[in-house]
């Protein structure tokens, strides 16, 4: 593809990973990036929307509950319903669940502790626009930082997610084994990230944008951004 | 005018880890008789509506669309004239 992708990074009051996401896509992945203030109603021609991590609206009421009513979310929802690529990271994942773009909820961590550390991830479905560049059997090293990352959905919803290949990432140990000990928050089936049935909206609790440079500990997050960029290259080919 | 008092709790099928932690604290106090502690939220609001039925309808809509998330929470409310 001749031109860069344009990432639109939504900024809510209380977002605090917006600049990390901007840095990762602009300076590491060398794509175009623009911030989108939550009161705006125009996505400025973005190809990919990122709902970044943070504590939108102070996590009041429930995480992500109030952010979904920000004016920009009407446009994000419309964009997603038309097949646009949307990723929600951490608080962004919570907002996607609250807005109905992804099923389920993120409950309080079972430990009740805010958990901030590197975890390991295994990719459950590599045939998606978010994961296609991740090598088979790779174990990703990506940090988490959340107090409410305990994914939950009703059994019928879970069956749909599992059967439909909508589970993208699971917490695992260093060898890629999915164990109770490697689950940092009590998530059902060790789920760390999912996508919608349409395959264009992804939410994940770990922070790939914080793992894009070896100097900062890990560059495994670039595999996810590379997958997204690659999917557009394929589209235009 | 009406006053709505809303109680929101986690659905019974969901483990309330906060409630469990508080229960442990209560047991440490020596009150071993206390069981099944569940933590919820209480919301009060004044509703400028002509009738109680209308105030209930408005309260229910606020609960459904924002105050409670039906995937994990149940809500109940009372409406009184003020």
């Amino acid at each position: 593809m001749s031109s860069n992708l344009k990432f639109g990074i939504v900024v809510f009051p209380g977002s605090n990973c917006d600049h990390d996401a901007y840095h990762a896509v602009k300076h590491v992945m060398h794509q175009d990036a623009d911030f989108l203030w939550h009161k705006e109603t125009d996505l400025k021609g973005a190809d990919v929307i990122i709902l970044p991590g943070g504590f939108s609206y102070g996590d009041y009421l429930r995480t992500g509950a109030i952010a979904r009513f920000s004016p920009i979310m009407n446009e994000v929802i419309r964009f997603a319903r038309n097949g646009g690529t949307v990723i929600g990271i951490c608080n962004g994942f919570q907002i996607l669940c609250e807005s109905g773009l992804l099923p389920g909820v993120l409950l309080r961590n079972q430990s009740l502790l805010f958990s901030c550390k590197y975890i390991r991830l295994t990719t459950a479905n590599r045939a998606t626009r978010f994961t296609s560049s991740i090598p088979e059997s790779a174990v990703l090293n990506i940090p988490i930082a959340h107090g409410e990352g305990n994914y939950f959905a009703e059994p019928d919803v879970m069956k749909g997610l599992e059967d439909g290949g909508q589970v993208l990432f699971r917490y695992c140990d260093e060898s890629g084994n999915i164990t109770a000990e490697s689950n940092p928050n009590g998530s059902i089936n060790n789920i760390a990230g999912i996508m919608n049935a349409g395959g264009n909206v992804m939410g994940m609790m770990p922070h790939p944008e914080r793992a894009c440079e070896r100097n900062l500990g890990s560059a495994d997050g670039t595999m996810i951004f590379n997958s997204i960029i690659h999917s557009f290259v394929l589209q235009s080919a | 005018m009406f006053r709505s008092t809303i109680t929101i709790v986690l659905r019974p099928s969901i483990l309330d880890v906060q409630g469990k932690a508080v229960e442990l604290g209560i047991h440490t106090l020596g009150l071993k008789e206390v069981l099944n502690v569940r933590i919820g939220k209480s919301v009060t609001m004044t509703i400028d509506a002509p009738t109680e039925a209308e105030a209930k309808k408005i309260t229910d809509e606020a609960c459904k669309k924002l105050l409670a998330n039906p995937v994990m929470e149940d809500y109940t409310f009372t409406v009184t004239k003020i």
Side-chain angles (χ1 to χ4, degrees), chain A:
Chain A
M1 199 163 82
S2 55
S3 59
N4 286 344
L5 282 190
K6 186 169 178 186
F7 285 76
I9 300 155
V10 178
V11 182
F12 297 100
S15 293
N16 66 8
C17 301
D18 41 349
H19 283 266
D20 302 53
Y22 184 92
H23 172 73
V25 295
K26 177 102 175 169
H27 301 128
V28 183
M29 307 309 297
H30 304 293
Q31 304 297 308
D32 294 336
D34 218 336
F35 290 115
L36 302 169
W37 180 237
H38 75 118
K39 287 201 166 157
E40 293 184 51
T41 52
D42 178 5
L43 301 183
K44 297 184 187 169
D47 302 300
V48 180
I49 294 295
I50 299 181
L51 303 184
F55 300 85
S56 57
Y57 292 89
D59 277 352
Y60 296 158
L61 193 63
R62 291 181 310 277
T63 55
I66 303 177
R68 68 167 274 215
F69 292 102
S70 280
I72 194 108
M73 283 308 294
N74 290 329
E75 296 312 308
V76 172
I77 289 168
R78 189 170 323 181
F79 179 75
R81 298 248 150 95
N82 288 330
T85 303
V86 178
I87 67 173
I89 301 166
C90 198
N91 189 220
F93 186 9
Q94 295 160 341
I95 295 167
L96 288 175
C97 287
E98 281 285 343
S99 63
L101 287 175
L102 289 175
V105 288
L106 284 313
L107 299 171
R108 183 72 69 95
N109 290 353
Q110 240 167 47
S111 63
L112 280 175
L113 299 173
F114 186 95
S115 191
C116 184
K117 61 181 181 183
Y118 277 90
I119 49 80
R120 306 297 165 134
L121 291 179
T122 174
T123 310
N125 181 356
R126 291 171 54 251
T128 80
R129 70 178 77 176
F130 306 105
T131 54
S132 62
S133 297
I134 302 172
E136 197 177 350
S137 72
V139 176
L140 307 189
N141 187 25
I142 292 183
I144 53 165
H146 61 247
E148 278 104 355
N150 176 0
Y151 185 78
F152 172 82
E154 293 293 339
D156 56 324
V157 176
M158 277 310 303
K159 186 171 168 13
L161 285 176
E162 295 285 4
D163 293 352
Q166 289 174 247
V167 176
L168 299 188
F169 301 108
R170 296 184 208 273
Y171 300 109
C172 64
D173 66 17
E174 290 189 6
S175 310
N177 302 308
I178 298 158
T179 62
E181 295 72 34
S182 55
N183 184 340
N185 51 33
S187 271
I188 191 163
N189 296 1
N190 278 42
I191 284 175
I194 60 167
M195 66 175 183
N196 65 342
N200 61 306
V201 178
M202 171 184 78
M204 62 187 295
M205 288 312 296
H207 286 269
E209 83 285 10
R210 292 190 192 176
C212 283
E213 288 156 290
R214 278 190 202 288
N215 288 349
L216 298 181
S218 168
D220 290 353
T222 58
M223 296 180 200
I224 293 166
F225 291 111
N226 265 330
S227 301
I228 295 168
I229 295 163
H230 187 64
S231 75
F232 279 86
V233 175
L234 287 179
Q235 232 174 57
S236 65

